[in-house]
Amino acid sequence: MFSKRARLWLGLIAMVSLMSLASSCSKTPEGGGDNGGADNKGKVYASKGDEGTIAGKVSYTGAAPEAKKIDTSADAACTSKSPTLMTEDWVVKDGKLANTFVYIKDGTLADGTKIADWTFETPKTPVTLDQNGCHYRPHVMGVMVKQDITITNSDPTNHNIHFTPKNNPDWNQAQANGAGPMTHKLMAAEVLVPVKCNQHPWMKAYVGVLKHPLFAVSGEDGSFTIKGVPPGKYTVVAWHEGGANGTEKTMEVNVPAKGAATADFSFGAAALGQPSSLQMMPAIEFPMAGKH
Ligand SMILES: [Cu+2]
């Protein structure tokens, strides 16, 4: 009886040590197998000339919410410059949705490396966020981490630009009538950072901050193109500010070498009853899964 129990224990110990061996193997690239992705950590991605694109159209399914005229009477300068300023939370034209931020959230390149492990060079050219006609131009934009954002005031009035991030420090600056451009940059990835004006409560913009340049914003015709995508399999997310805390749709795409992948997204009340609404579930679970 004793030897039977001893054998049981021996078996258990063998099993546990095998399991720990297996888990330690998966952590080290020397362990071999198909985990070839670990060796690109921190390396700067260099174009191989075989990059492709992810392009598509963003639609609004069903009757689109109508833009409302904004009451700008609190600031006469705004009213005279923008007499018919309209809300921009849903900009829909012929069923196509503008201002959707589309980006690669995660994925694996054709060579087995993970997109998140690569480092991408921060562009030297700044992106401009203009306060013009008492609203932001553009309304939604993307930047890379540490990329300069040039903030300009093109209005004959005072603005107060206020970035309200979760992963980055709060940034709140007055920019008076006639003041020169200001520069701001965000040091951590965050999708998306809301921007508001403390002078004009209707003013809103959203800035997507990513560690890679693989993002785009849908135009008035709903179209977008993400260029320079290394061949691979990716999770693409389309984010729109509509809804309580914005709405996300996700899609898996394959980008062939020098090829084009299509990713069409649909938002709107009528889209909720369709399979696209189910795609929100992985989007919700994704950040948790990535944390280990
Ligand atoms: Cu303002």
Side-chain angles (χ1 to χ4, degrees):
M1 232 167 66
F2 179 75
S3 66
K4 209 174 190 180
R5 186 178 286 179
R7 256 182 282 153
L8 201 87
W9 275 111
L10 269 172
L12 258 170
I13 289 161
M15 225 167 79
V16 167
S17 54
L18 261 174
M19 274 162 68
S20 66
L21 199 79
S23 72
S24 67
C25 271
S26 67
K27 279 173 199 153
T28 49
E30 300 86 63
D34 57 0
N35 187 24
D39 62 350
N40 64 321
K41 273 196 176 137
K43 280 190 188 169
V44 177
Y45 181 83
S47 171
K48 293 176 181 68
D50 63 351
E51 287 79 9
T53 58
I54 301 172
K57 288 251 179 195
V58 184
S59 306
Y60 189 98
T61 312
E66 273 186 35
K68 296 178 192 74
K69 190 177 177 299
I70 295 167
D71 177 8
T72 55
S73 58
D75 190 335
C78 291
T79 312
S80 65
K81 189 167 177 179
S82 291
T84 53
L85 195 59
M86 306 300 281
T87 54
E88 290 169 294
D89 48 348
W90 291 108
V91 176
V92 182
K93 196 178 166 190
D94 301 327
K96 298 291 181 278
L97 181 60
N99 296 331
T100 310
F101 187 71
V102 189
Y103 66 103
I104 287 181
K105 182 160 190 170
D106 208 347
T108 307
L109 278 63
D111 64 6
T113 58
K114 298 279 183 201
I115 192 80
D117 290 337
W118 286 104
T119 298
F120 289 83
E121 264 182 56
T122 304
K124 303 268 188 294
T125 42
V127 188
T128 300
L129 181 58
D130 189 25
Q131 296 152 115
N132 198 336
C134 292
H135 68 155
Y136 292 110
R137 308 304 301 159
H139 182 66
V140 176
M141 66 183 214
V143 288
M144 273 186 67
V145 168
K146 296 179 187 171
Q147 184 176 7
D148 283 344
I149 304 168
T150 302
I151 298 150
T152 50
N153 181 359
S154 304
D155 286 333
T157 189
N158 303 332
H159 288 293
N160 186 298
I161 189 154
H162 190 176
F163 284 71
T164 58
K166 289 192 175 81
N167 301 340
N168 288 280
D170 196 85
W171 195 79
N172 182 10
Q173 296 287 322
Q175 195 172 29
N177 178 6
M182 293 188 297
T183 301
H184 184 46
K185 52 185 161 189
L186 295 125
M187 306 307 273
E190 184 167 350
V191 181
L192 288 82
V193 177
V195 177
K196 64 177 183 177
C197 175
N198 292 354
Q199 300 286 333
H200 309 107
W202 62 84
M203 286 179 71
K204 276 179 206 152
Y206 296 89
V207 179
V209 188
L210 290 171
K211 290 200 281 185
H212 60 64
L214 306 170
F215 54 79
V217 178
S218 68
E220 281 199 357
D221 62 351
S223 70
F224 70 89
T225 304
I226 302 173
K227 290 175 186 161
V229 185
K233 191 173 186 295
Y234 300 101
T235 302
V236 177
V237 171
W239 183 95
H240 190 273
E241 69 192 89
N245 294 302
T247 309
E248 261 187 26
K249 310 276 177 182
T250 67
M251 197 177 289
E252 301 296 322
V253 299
N254 271 303
V255 179
K258 291 184 179 177
T262 304
D264 293 328
F265 294 93
S266 181
F267 288 79
L272 289 176
Q274 294 170 5
S276 61
S277 69
L278 294 172
Q279 289 167 4
M280 280 188 71
M281 288 171 72
I284 291 161
E285 285 165 14
F286 227 86
M288 283 149 68
K291 269 177 191 157
H292 298 285

